[in-house]
């Protein structure tokens, strides 16, 4: 399967680890600002700030566009398919198959991000056939570094990624999770 030209399913719903990861819907627009309009999200992620209902609508439109282009999946993190608690992303990129995530401030401390990352990684291994998924994190983002560890990722020995976003410089470390090896029958 080509990593840049394969189409993605129009609808995706993934279950596992006590979560349901589902497509964002029009009915989620009012809840999205509560999840994403927060200083931590503004600082550590490329999500726009301030994040209001107009930003929510733009994000929903962009999520659908990226899906159609075959590059990115953005799913709401839920426990039962209902109210969104955050977001998990899977993206085909030149540097690798990347996962990203953001959990609303009111829902942190429940292991949602690590569980969502593991579910999304399993999807990438099974459906996209990738050998490794990556997270790109700032070392100073202790919460995201903890998620990486809890999700089974290890820091890779690759050069850091530097850049600037929202007027501030960043240095990203790359963390990787390899596809589990299946054992041949004895």
């Amino acid at each position: 399967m080509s990593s840049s030209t394969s189409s993605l399913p129009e609808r995706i719903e993934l279950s596992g680890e006590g979560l349901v990861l589902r497509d964002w819907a029009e009915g989620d627009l009012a809840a999205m600002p509560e999840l994403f309009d927060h200083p931590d999200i503004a600082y550590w992620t490329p999500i726009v700030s301030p994040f209001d209902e107009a930003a929510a609508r733009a994000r929903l439109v962009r999520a659908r566009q990226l899906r159609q282009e075959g590059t990115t999946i953005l799913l709401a993190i839920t426990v039962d398919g209902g109210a969104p608690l955050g977001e998990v992303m899977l993206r085909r990129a030149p540097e690798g198959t990347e996962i990203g995530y953001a959990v609303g401030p009111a829902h942190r401390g429940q292991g949602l991000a690590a569980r969502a990352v593991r579910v999304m990684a399993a999807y990438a291994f099974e459906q996209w056939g990738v050998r490794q998924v990556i997270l790109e994190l700032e070392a100073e983002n202790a919460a995201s570094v903890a998620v990486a560890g809890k999700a089974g990722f290890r820091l890779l020995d690759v050069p850091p990624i530097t850049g600037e976003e929202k007027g501030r410089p960043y240095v990203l470390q790359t963390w990787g999770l390899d596809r589990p090896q299946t054992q041949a029958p004895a």
Side-chain angles (χ1 to χ4, degrees):
M1 172 184 297
S2 169
S3 63
S4 61
T5 60
S6 298
S7 63
L8 297 173
E10 190 175 313
R11 296 185 38 87
I12 297 174
E13 183 172 292
L14 308 175
S15 298
E17 304 233 6
L19 299 177
V20 175
L21 309 180
R22 62 162 176 81
D23 291 316
W24 285 105
E26 297 286 328
D28 297 322
L29 291 172
M32 290 171 80
E34 181 183 320
L35 299 174
F36 301 133
D37 191 36
H38 189 270
D40 285 348
I41 303 240
Y43 188 82
W44 296 115
T45 77
I47 294 175
V48 299
S49 179
F51 195 97
D52 55 15
E53 273 203 59
R57 178 156 303 283
R59 188 155 184 85
L60 181 62
V61 167
R62 184 72 177 137
R64 290 174 176 165
Q65 179 183 34
L66 291 169
R67 173 89 57 91
Q68 285 182 331
E69 292 171 4
T71 61
T72 306
I73 297 169
L74 294 170
L75 299 177
I77 300 170
T78 77
V79 293
D80 58 5
L85 309 174
E87 176 178 84
V88 64
M89 171 204 73
L90 182 63
R91 179 174 75 100
R92 293 175 170 134
E95 58 274 9
T97 301
E98 180 185 6
I99 295 177
Y101 47 87
V103 173
H107 310 291
R108 294 181 184 159
Q110 303 172 47
L112 296 171
R115 291 186 285 153
V117 165
R118 287 191 297 263
V119 171
M120 193 63 100
Y123 177 83
F125 296 141
E126 294 164 13
Q127 299 300 315
W128 288 10
V130 301
R131 296 174 195 242
Q132 182 181 67
V133 291
I134 61 171
L135 302 173
E136 295 175 342
L137 312 172
E138 292 184 62
E140 295 80 21
N141 187 344
S144 277
V145 169
V147 167
K150 289 176 187 170
F153 285 68
R154 63 182 166 72
L155 185 59
L156 300 178
D157 186 18
V158 298
I161 301 162
T162 59
E164 185 173 312
E165 179 100 26
K166 299 180 187 175
R168 77 171 187 88
Y170 64 78
V171 177
L172 301 175
Q173 297 177 326
T174 303
W175 293 71
L177 179 67
D178 295 331
R179 180 193 328 205
Q181 298 297 317
T182 55
Q183 293 185 330

